[in-house]
Amino acid sequence: LGIPPEMAQAGAGALLPAIVGGFQKQSEVAGGGEGGLGSLIGMLGGLGGAGLADNVLGPQETDVNKGNDILGQIFGSKDVSRTVAGHAAGQTGLDPELLKKMLPILAMLVGGYLSSRGGAQDGAQGGGGMLGSILGAVLGGGQQAAPASGGGLIGGLGSLIDMNHDGNP
């Protein structure tokens, strides 16, 4: 996006809770329990699974269409994405247009991370229990922090955006 790391860090910090919450809600709407998580894993696998994060982190240009597809699944409409970006803009003072550009990229990072942790690479079935525990570690325990060893969703994603390595993404 051509922005300083501090801006990226602030934007990601404001957007990630809504994205992770959208994944949690999608897993519940899709049937809850293992069935809902399996549906979520299947959706991510169909979009590229763990390769979603590789697409963002790799040298090739990021295909944000896949990120927009994820946002459509977890938020349901572009209006929700706009609201999330607007709320994050209010928190950070960043331009909502910049945050709207960040949303699909972050959705791909989260989706790829969940896929790799949940066994959903290349659309493989199964692994819903692990995905549930990942989401549960982030959302089920309130403001519970992830272990410093990189476990849990925030630990893995945090290491991607913790530019100064102080443990606070």
Side-chain angles (χ1 to χ4, degrees):
L1 295 173
I3 59 174
E6 299 79 28
M7 288 178 72
Q9 205 171 352
L15 295 171
L16 279 172
I19 292 169
V20 173
F23 276 105
Q24 177 68 28
K25 184 169 176 89
Q26 177 64 26
S27 73
E28 292 168 0
V29 168
E34 294 296 316
L37 294 172
S39 176
L40 179 60
I41 288 172
M43 181 267 296
L44 291 171
L47 291 172
L52 290 164
D54 295 338
N55 183 245
V56 173
L57 300 173
Q60 73 280 8
E61 188 171 330
T62 301
D63 178 7
V64 295
N65 290 324
K66 292 180 180 185
N68 286 324
D69 289 344
I70 293 170
L71 292 172
Q73 289 290 318
I74 65 172
F75 290 157
S77 78
K78 289 185 180 187
D79 290 337
V80 175
S81 291
R82 288 183 195 107
T83 300
V84 167
H87 179 72
Q91 287 180 309
T92 63
L94 297 175
D95 181 1
E97 291 302 314
L98 171 67
L99 293 166
K100 283 192 254 185
K101 290 178 184 177
M102 289 181 79
L103 267 171
I105 294 168
L106 290 170
M108 290 173 67
L109 284 173
V110 174
Y113 181 82
L114 289 175
S115 293
S116 68
R117 294 297 199 147
Q121 295 175 349
D122 301 322
Q125 297 299 313
M130 181 176 275
L131 180 58
S133 65
I134 292 167
L135 288 170
V138 175
L139 300 170
Q143 297 296 321
Q144 179 179 350
S149 64
L153 179 61
I154 297 301
L157 288 176
S159 67
L160 294 174
I161 60 174
D162 182 9
M163 299 300 200
N164 64 359
H165 305 290
D166 68 352
N168 182 3

